[in-house]
Amino acid sequence: MEFNIAVLGGDGIGPEVTDQGVRVLEAVGRAFGHNFNLSYGDIGGISIDKHGIPLIDHTIELLDTNDAVLFGAVGGPKWDAPDAKVRPEQGLLAMRAHMGVFANIRPVKVYPQLAESSVLKPEVIDGVDMVVVRELTGGLYYAEPRGRRETPNGIIAEDTMRYTEGEIERVLRVGFELARGRRKKLTSVDKANVLECSRLWRTVAARLGEEYSDIELEHVLVDACAMQLIQRPASFDVIVSENTFGDILSDEASVLAASMGLLPSASLTGVPVAGQRSGGLYEPIHGTAPDIAGRGIANPTGSILSVAMMVRYSLGLTEEGAAIELAVDRVLGQNARTADIALPGAGHVSTKEMGDLIVAAIEKAG
Ligand code: IPM
Ligand code: MN
């Protein structure tokens, strides 16, 4: 089959890890007989440098005309001044909004091969297998008013958290549906003891909980959830929360998996269905890691596993997605370790070597 994919590497380690994701995609093409037409575009800081703004019309056209989007990361110290007028992150937020991808799905699982690389005790992380569903196009990241202004009493900065019932319901539904295909447990995270938005969130979650009576629903306050993620991580199945809480909790959850460099994500416009075709945005959850950018040592696994999610949820290629995940599993089993997951004193492979090994494992299986 033939597919069109937009590739937006972005900044920092974004392009180098995305390159390996693309190589894995091409390996899948060879092994399973598919053709991927790749169209490259700019986003973020590189786009600011080249065009003055973080998201240009050409890139927006790529979002509109391809079957899926593979994205790296944006941002970096070069564009980070607090008073900067244009920021790389605005490009990412505008892209998410343009695509309408309100459900950001971040699976977190612990590879037994990497138990020793985690900062947490093996018995605590044993059996961790959860999905964080983060609301992605609402809340503090988008609502108005926002901004900074001078007043007689000094400068005021403000952001607004606002959610409609509809925005809450649709992302919670994604969580409930995912839970149905898993261990049937949903943790709805809020701050209902303080925030109005969270009280609406909890009301909607409770109402849906009656509809999804086969799913065990728990409401957990976000601060308690932060603690429980470390204390009893294996007890979580699907976690759903609003944009900012989900951003923070998913970084925390990534620590369970030894390194955030391993973790993929899919941003979708509805419930993911393996085997069907529907647009989506796929990105590793890590950022641009400016400290290691260009050194060829970043872990490309997050991007590669994002490609697995992409072929499964946007291209309808279930078997191919599984083949990529199996290849990652095998390569970790062969003790290949990038710097982020290497044990102290042990050697490590480069970004490209990790890509080579995963490509080879796919070719062998195919
Ligand atoms: C993420 C990132 C982004 C976010 C930044 C780069 C704007 O942290 O994808 O989690 O906060 O959504
Ligand atoms: Mn984040």
Side-chain angles (χ1 to χ4, degrees), residues 96 106 134 141 246-248 250-251 260 285-287:
R96 289 169 176 169
R106 300 184 161 188
R134 168 189 176 194
Y141 277 59
D247 178 44
I248 298 166
S250 58
D251 266 33
M260 74 186 324
I285 82 151
H286 62 70

Side-chain angles (χ1 to χ4, degrees), residues 106-309:
R106 300 184 161 188
V108 179
K109 74 167 195 173
V110 167
Y111 288 92
Q113 304 95 302
L114 295 178
E116 265 182 281
S117 305
S118 176
V119 293
L120 294 161
K121 291 186 191 134
E123 64 268 28
V124 173
I125 56 170
D126 183 38
V128 166
D129 180 2
M130 71 179 86
V131 178
V132 179
V133 180
R134 168 189 176 194
E135 200 290 324
L136 201 61
T137 54
L140 281 174
Y141 277 59
Y142 291 95
E144 305 275 348
R146 60 188 289 117
R148 208 199 284 199
R149 60 194 146 88
E150 307 264 0
T151 77
N153 301 319
I155 301 171
I156 292 184
E158 68 186 325
D159 299 279
T160 302
M161 186 187 278
R162 181 185 303 107
Y163 272 104
T164 65
E165 196 180 357
E167 285 175 313
I168 296 170
E169 177 169 337
R170 65 184 184 178
V171 74
L172 277 163
R173 271 192 196 282
V174 170
F176 276 108
E177 292 290 336
L178 281 176
R180 259 196 184 150
R182 299 173 44 96
R183 301 198 307 276
K184 295 195 164 45
K185 184 171 173 200
L186 187 85
T187 305
S188 172
V189 176
D190 61 43
K191 185 72 184 171
N193 52 348
V194 178
L195 300 176
E196 240 4 283
C197 284
S198 283
R199 285 193 277 273
L200 178 58
W201 182 282
R202 193 172 281 215
T203 307
V204 175
R207 170 163 57 75
L208 288 179
E210 286 169 26
E211 184 186 325
Y212 289 89
S213 54
D214 53 324
I215 307 295
E216 180 196 338
L217 168 67
E218 64 172 356
H219 305 277
V220 179
L221 296 172
V222 63
D223 47 355
C225 185
M227 204 169 60
Q228 293 170 10
L229 270 173
I230 304 300
Q231 287 171 331
R232 54 166 185 97
S235 73
F236 292 102
D237 182 14
V238 179
I239 295 178
V240 190
S241 85
E242 66 86 44
N243 203 340
T244 307
F245 298 163
D247 178 44
I248 298 166
L249 292 177
S250 58
D251 266 33
E252 187 190 0
S254 77
V255 175
L256 304 166
S259 166
M260 74 186 324
L262 294 163
L263 297 188
S265 86
S267 303
L268 306 172
T269 56
V271 178
V273 185
Q276 283 188 13
R277 296 185 62 171
S278 168
L281 170 63
Y282 298 85
E283 53 178 299
I285 82 151
H286 62 70
T288 53
D291 52 324
I292 59 163
R295 290 173 51 198
I297 59 168
N299 189 347
T301 310
S303 178
I304 289 167
L305 290 173
S306 298
V307 169
M309 294 185 88

